[in-house]
Amino acid sequence: MNTLHLSDNETLLITLFDWARAGWIRDLDAAFADQLARLAPEADGPCLLAAAMVSHLAGQGHLLLDLTTLTTQPRSLIAVQAQEAMPELPTPDTLIARYADTGWEKALRAWSAVGTGTNGNEPLVLVGSTLYLRRYWQHEQRITAAVNARLEHVTDWPSDQAAGLLNRLFPPDAPHADDVRWQKMACAIGARAPFAVITGGPGTGKTTTVIRLLALLQGLTRLANQPALTIALAAPTGKAAARLNESIAQQVAALNDIELPDGTQQSVPTEVKTLHRLLGARPDTRHYAYHAHRPLPYDMVVVDEASMVDIEMMAALLDALPSHARLVLIGDKDQLASVEAGAVLGSLCQRADEGHYSDPTAQWITATTGYTLDTSLTNSSGQALDQAVAKLRHSFRFDSQSGIGHLADAINAGNAKQANAVLADSSYQDLAHLSLSATAPYHKLTTTAVAGRKNNSHARGLSHYLHCIQQTDTRPGLDDDKTTWDSWAATILKAHSTFQLLTPLRQGPWGVETLNERIEQALIRGGWIDASAAERHWYEGRPILVTGNDYGLKLMNGDIGITLNAPRHFKNNTKTVPKEENGLTLRVAFPDGQGGIRWVLPSRLQRIETVYAMTVHKSQGSEFSHTALVMPDSLSPILTRELIYTAVTRAKHTFTLLDTHREVLTRAIERRIERYSRLFAVSDQTNSPHNE
């Protein structure tokens, strides 16, 4: 293109759109810079480039653009592989180098599209050397203010009453009492703090802890002759909500065996809602029925799987939370951050490993639990947020003989050498590593996905749930009622949850789209699904993943269902359907979160995909008896320590790694997700009454 008569800005914008066509940035990023060039035309090249970059980073989950990083480490902001470079296009680092002598901050401050955030409505906000999209700066400010307001206060329960209740919930003379000491201390911390975070790895008892915390708070409220707290339980996705529903029912039932103040057990809720449903999401908008001017009708909200909550959702939740209401967040800080922008739980838990508990907090823990904190977890100058964060440090799922546990620990530590050693150790019965052939890479993969691993009852494959479907002696008949059909479908869904193949990627030879096709063909060859039905896309046994919320069908993003032949009309006691009007038809069975089944006709499902294979991101909030992770044959920007850790810890009993090059795993473990943010930066935290 002849650019002799184009201005520098026009040439830059053309370059940005070329980058978008090359896939280096999004069309949205280039369009954002182009729009600002029209609205505020006094901008120079560095301003427009910074605008495109802050938009691009938002798409990568970051909240801000650090101008120092822009000039010193431009390659860290846009990952352009050497083989992707095009001779006719300047790469991001070379283009940024052209502006090396530019005073970025001075240029941006002079641009009318940039404000300081305190006043005005400029689309960009500059704070020091960091540039924000305005909405992310606002979210960060609102979250920080709401959390700090709660951290200014502690609840002064009588320590003797709290100790008495905690000793009933966690008897000091019970077997393995020392193993639950971290749960007991987490309850003590959570009872004192109007805002609290409970973090821990898989099997550390996060659900047990939060239910005992709720029982503790309701018991203390009863002893204080106050009305019972109204409590809401929530999770980011329908899948996570359903899983929490199942585990909570058992934990609440266990409270019946504990002597607590009258009515305590009955005041602990068992129903879990998605955050969207809790806030009253309005379809196709970013608005909710509950907000700052119409707060939620609760005294306390508990959010599970908080690592999946992005900054926008967290801001909306805190906006809608009454000022007196408690908030408790539960999650694994080492898991993948939310798909959308922000890493709220990770920001909250930056110092969780070291504790940093102040003297008053340590004294409260000792007075209420009987445990004395190790000095490595105390800090007389501990920050306000530190006093509200509890880490569970004992895993009940992975003991010293667990290869999965040792592998997860090595990954978390970024120790790729140790992780590879664990994978190579044949003494671990719960781990397997399979090298994929360069000539026939999919053969061993599809065999594992279909059949699982021999001589290991926990390492089943997809054939397990398909075998359950094909067993005619257990299938209900047309004369059976819906309850019977629901029970059968629940058995199939449980069987399906015993195995899941995971991949980091959506597209390409190792992405879910390709793997789903490959596995479907392998199942056809094995006689597990009908070839002619598969050609029509809908067939019995097809697993379905919901990829978008459908409020009309009460299905949420992440819900998984199985396609089954079921009656057109279920038998019930109020209506008789003539046999000639009934018969079997394909329906998709989804768990309804209340122990029942929601049956949906395929024609009513809109945003769905087949889910023999699933991305690691989509697997968050789920657990499977056997999880297999297939690694791509080359390094990708999304391959990080957190992603590998998340995949490994989806496995309850068995984990299988399938790869072609071990170097890819090694490099992934050595890389961490770094999301640029100033949310809860340690230097920004203020002192609190905990430290006075």
Side-chain angles (χ1 to χ4, degrees):
M1 177 180 291
N2 184 356
T3 59
L4 292 177
H5 302 292
L6 296 178
S7 68
D8 288 343
N9 283 2
E10 289 171 323
T11 302
L12 174 63
L13 290 171
I14 289 172
T15 299
L16 292 176
F17 280 107
D18 286 341
W19 283 4
R21 278 188 287 273
W24 298 351
I25 63 176
R26 301 173 299 172
D27 290 333
L28 175 64
D29 307 328
F32 180 64
D34 182 58
Q35 182 183 34
L36 292 187
R38 299 171 190 275
L39 295 175
E42 78 279 10
D44 55 13
C47 290
L48 297 180
L49 179 57
M53 293 298 294
V54 74
S55 175
H56 170 72
L57 289 176
Q60 304 301 309
H62 302 287
L63 300 185
L64 56 84
L65 166 65
D66 182 76
L67 298 176
T68 302
T69 304
L70 179 67
T71 54
T72 61
Q73 303 176 48
R75 281 187 178 272
S76 68
L77 302 182
I78 296 184
V80 179
Q81 305 297 326
Q83 64 271 21
E84 296 174 343
M86 301 178 185
E88 69 276 13
L89 277 182
T91 56
D93 53 319
T94 58
L95 182 56
I96 291 169
R98 295 179 187 175
Y99 301 123
D101 297 330
T102 296
W104 293 89
E105 291 179 40
K106 182 178 179 181
L108 287 166
R109 286 198 183 96
W111 190 19
S112 61
V114 178
T116 60
T118 53
N119 296 300
N121 58 357
E122 297 88 352
L124 298 172
V125 171
L126 183 66
V127 180
S129 62
T130 56
L131 184 67
Y132 289 84
L133 295 176
R134 170 170 288 277
R135 71 175 183 278
Y136 288 143
W137 179 84
Q138 290 174 327
H139 294 332
E140 195 173 272
Q141 296 299 305
R142 284 153 53 199
I143 291 173
T144 301
V147 170
N148 284 341
R150 285 173 170 78
L151 293 176
E152 289 177 358
H153 307 284
V154 296
T155 307
D156 292 320
W157 301 109
S159 60
D160 58 338
Q161 291 183 356
L165 288 172
L166 280 170
N167 282 337
R168 296 179 195 176
L169 292 164
F170 301 95
D173 56 351
H176 310 294
D178 199 48
D179 292 341
V180 299
R181 70 186 187 279
W182 300 109
Q183 298 180 13
K184 193 173 186 178
M185 288 190 283
C187 286
I189 291 169
R192 192 168 184 244
F195 171 82
V197 181
I198 299 173
T199 186
T204 52
K206 294 186 289 293
T207 304
T208 300
T209 302
V210 76
I211 292 303
R212 304 266 162 141
L213 170 60
L214 298 185
L216 171 63
L217 286 168
Q218 294 290 35
L220 289 169
T221 301
R222 293 277 175 172
L223 293 175
N225 295 316
Q226 298 174 3
L229 299 171
T230 55
I231 302 173
L233 305 178
T237 67
K239 179 173 51 180
R243 191 167 69 84
L244 185 59
N245 258 323
E246 295 171 2
S247 56
I248 275 182
Q250 300 173 350
Q251 297 297 333
V252 173
L255 295 177
N256 293 322
D257 299 327
I258 302 173
E259 184 181 348
L260 296 169
D262 290 344
T264 298
Q265 291 93 334
Q266 292 75 19
S267 60
V268 176
T270 57
E271 180 187 0
V272 185
K273 300 179 180 179
T274 64
L275 280 170
H276 286 86
R277 187 164 292 157
L278 175 73
L279 294 174
R282 294 175 176 171
D284 303 319
T285 75
R286 288 182 168 178
H287 302 295
Y288 298 93
Y290 292 100
H291 42 74
H293 302 294
R294 189 197 176 202
L296 289 162
Y298 298 107
D299 300 315
M300 182 175 183
V301 172
V302 177
V303 180
D304 192 26
E305 296 291 352
S307 63
M308 300 168 66
V309 182
D310 61 80
I311 191 168
E312 185 170 355
M313 175 59 79
M314 187 61 71
L317 173 62
L318 285 163
D319 281 349
L321 203 64
S323 59
H324 74 278
R326 294 173 173 270
L327 177 62
V328 177
L329 304 178
I330 316 165
D332 186 344
K333 68 180 180 63
D334 297 313
Q335 279 190 31
L336 280 169
S338 59
V339 175
E340 303 298 330
V344 180
L345 186 70
S347 297
L348 287 164
C349 297
Q350 293 172 74
R351 288 155 54 100
D353 291 342
E354 301 83 15
H356 295 285
Y357 295 118
S358 65
D359 295 339
T361 302
Q363 292 163 9
W364 167 259
I365 289 173
T366 300
T368 55
T369 69
Y371 293 109
T372 301
L373 285 173
D374 188 277
T375 54
S376 64
L377 297 176
T378 60
N379 179 353
S380 59
S381 301
Q383 301 284 355
L385 180 58
D386 299 329
Q387 318 313 310
V389 179
K391 180 182 177 182
L392 305 179
R393 300 167 190 265
H394 177 81
S395 176
F396 296 88
R397 180 183 303 169
F398 305 132
D399 59 21
S400 60
Q401 304 303 312
S402 168
I404 295 176
H406 286 297
L407 179 60
D409 289 343
I411 293 168
N412 249 344
N415 191 335
K417 182 178 179 180
Q418 179 61 26
N420 282 311
V422 172
L423 283 166
D425 191 337
S426 60
S427 66
Y428 293 124
Q429 299 302 304
D430 57 347
L431 285 180
H433 168 239
L434 302 177
S435 295
L436 302 178
S437 166
T439 55
Y442 295 105
H443 176 70
K444 194 176 291 186
L445 187 154
T446 54
T447 299
T448 301
V450 173
R453 284 166 45 198
K454 295 181 179 179
N455 305 320
N456 188 332
S457 61
H458 291 304
R460 291 167 168 152
L462 294 167
S463 59
H464 173 56
Y465 90 91
L466 292 167
H467 174 70
C468 292
I469 293 175
Q470 292 180 1
Q471 285 192 305
T472 56
D473 57 333
T474 60
R475 182 188 290 270
L478 285 174
D479 291 334
D480 289 309
D481 59 17
K482 184 176 182 296
T483 301
T484 304
W485 280 94
D486 284 0
S487 178
W488 176 70
T491 301
I492 304 300
L493 285 162
K494 183 177 180 181
H496 177 265
S497 70
T498 58
F499 172 76
Q500 185 62 59
L501 178 68
L502 302 179
T503 174
L505 307 176
R506 282 206 56 80
Q507 298 177 328
W510 304 107
V512 289
E513 295 174 2
T514 299
L515 294 179
N516 277 320
E517 292 175 2
R518 294 269 183 178
I519 294 170
E520 185 177 78
Q521 291 303 311
L523 291 171
I524 291 173
R525 290 193 299 271
W528 293 108
I529 59 178
D530 182 77
S532 59
E535 290 180 358
R536 299 190 296 272
H537 301 298
W538 283 104
Y539 51 87
E540 186 165 56
R542 181 188 176 191
I544 295 299
L545 175 71
V546 177
T547 59
N549 295 339
D550 190 323
Y551 297 96
L553 295 177
K554 298 182 179 179
L555 295 176
M556 296 292 117
N557 186 6
D559 286 349
I560 293 178
I562 304 295
T563 309
L564 299 169
N565 277 314
R568 290 190 180 91
H569 306 283
F570 290 107
K571 178 182 177 182
N572 58 54
N573 296 326
T574 60
K575 182 179 179 181
T576 302
V577 179
K579 286 189 176 181
E580 61 271 15
E581 295 182 18
N582 209 351
L584 295 177
T585 189
L586 288 176
R587 291 175 177 265
V588 184
F590 293 94
D592 65 2
Q594 306 297 321
I597 296 295
R598 180 171 291 111
W599 297 88
V600 183
L601 291 170
S603 59
R604 300 191 66 193
L605 296 169
Q606 302 299 318
R607 298 166 67 184
I608 57 168
E609 60 187 38
T610 304
V611 68
Y612 293 120
M614 176 189 295
T615 62
V616 178
H617 275 91
K618 286 289 187 182
S619 74
Q620 286 184 272
S622 298
E623 292 176 343
F624 310 96
S625 180
H626 177 202
T627 300
L629 172 66
V630 56
M631 292 289 288
D633 55 6
S634 61
L635 198 64
S636 164
I638 69 169
L639 290 176
T640 62
R641 182 185 311 174
E642 291 83 356
L643 182 138
I644 306 301
Y645 170 83
T646 300
V648 170
T649 55
R650 297 312 87 206
K652 295 176 67 174
H653 300 295
T654 308
F655 175 76
T656 300
L657 176 72
L658 303 111
D659 64 5
T660 53
H661 305 295
R662 183 60 61 86
E663 180 65 20
V664 176
L665 176 69
T666 297
R667 295 280 301 279
I669 292 174
E670 292 172 348
R671 297 166 60 186
R672 296 208 65 171
I673 290 177
E674 292 187 17
R675 289 198 165 177
Y676 305 128
S677 164
R678 286 198 56 78
L679 189 63
F680 305 114
V682 172
S683 60
D684 292 345
Q685 293 181 31
T686 57
N687 290 326
S688 75
H690 300 273
N691 304 324
E692 293 176 357

